[in-house]
């Protein structure tokens, strides 16, 4: 899988497609998933073009990495789910069934998110 500058998240970042923003910092943009799988379903994406978690782990700067965790912290606080909990996942590549080729984390919560998918 290669980075495609025309992927939908790149378009959202460039303001060419709309999204319901819930949080933003210097390096990260967060918005509601268009097909929510839980009451709360937020996508957390880096503003820079990273294909997936491996690309990001290898190439992102420390402030960019910290910003992802800062976003998690702020979203958990914002939705007041510190106690009830949530699931944060990222899909990578073919086996991970990644659909959009721009790194994204899913934050799911507001209800029981069910067991992890079976293998
Ligand atoms: P993944 O399978 O991990 O690549 O997840 C891609 C996610 O992006 C899915 O949960 C989609 O519902 C979501 N999605 C696709 N297009 C949009 C969009 N325009 N705005 C918000 N979420 C989107």
């Amino acid at each position: 899988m290669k980075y495609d500058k025309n992927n939908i998240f790149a378009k959202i970042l460039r303001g060419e497609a709309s999204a319901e923003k819930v949080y933003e910092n210097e390096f990260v943009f967060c918005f509601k998933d268009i097909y929510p799988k839980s009451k709360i379903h937020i996508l957390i994406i880096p503003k820079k073009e990273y294909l997936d978690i491996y690309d990001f782990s290898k190439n992102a700067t420390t402030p960019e990495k910290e910003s992802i965790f800062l976003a998690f912290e702020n979203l958990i606080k914002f939705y007041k789910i510190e106690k009830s909990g949530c699931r944060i996942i990222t899909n990578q590549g073919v086996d991970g069934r990644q659909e959009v080729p721009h790194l994204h984390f899913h934050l799911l919560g507001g209800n029981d998110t069910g067991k992890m998918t079976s293998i």
Side-chain angles (χ1 to χ4, degrees):
M1 200 183 259
K2 270 187 16 201
Y3 192 87
D4 170 9
K5 283 183 181 293
N6 281 321
N7 77 73
I8 185 65
F9 296 168
K11 287 183 179 170
I12 287 172
L13 287 168
R14 290 196 296 267
E16 295 165 11
S18 61
E20 203 174 328
K21 181 178 106 172
V22 290
Y23 174 80
E24 181 177 17
N25 65 38
E26 187 181 353
F27 299 111
V28 173
F29 190 76
C30 307
F31 55 101
K32 292 188 179 174
D33 194 293
I34 203 167
Y35 301 118
K37 279 58 169 199
S38 272
K39 242 183 194 167
I40 301 165
H41 188 169
I42 308 302
L43 296 172
I44 296 99
I45 67 173
K47 289 186 177 174
K48 218 173 128 186
E49 295 171 354
Y50 291 106
L51 174 61
D52 55 26
I53 189 68
Y54 182 59
D55 182 22
F56 187 76
S57 299
K58 260 195 327 186
N59 299 311
T61 63
T62 299
E64 284 176 307
K65 290 176 180 172
E66 286 172 351
S67 289
I68 294 284
F69 283 88
L70 186 63
F72 294 158
E73 181 190 333
N74 278 285
L75 290 167
I76 288 168
K77 253 190 239 159
F78 178 77
Y79 285 106
K80 300 183 172 48
I81 53 172
E82 299 94 329
K83 288 208 172 74
S84 55
C86 64
R87 173 173 292 151
I88 297 174
I89 55 170
T90 186
N91 299 321
Q92 185 196 324
V94 176
D95 284 356
R97 298 273 190 131
Q98 181 179 357
E99 283 169 16
V100 180
H102 181 115
L103 171 64
H104 51 283
F105 296 89
H106 299 255
L107 185 152
L108 300 147
N111 52 254
D112 178 3
T113 56
K115 282 193 171 187
M116 283 294 288
T117 51
S118 54
I119 52 170

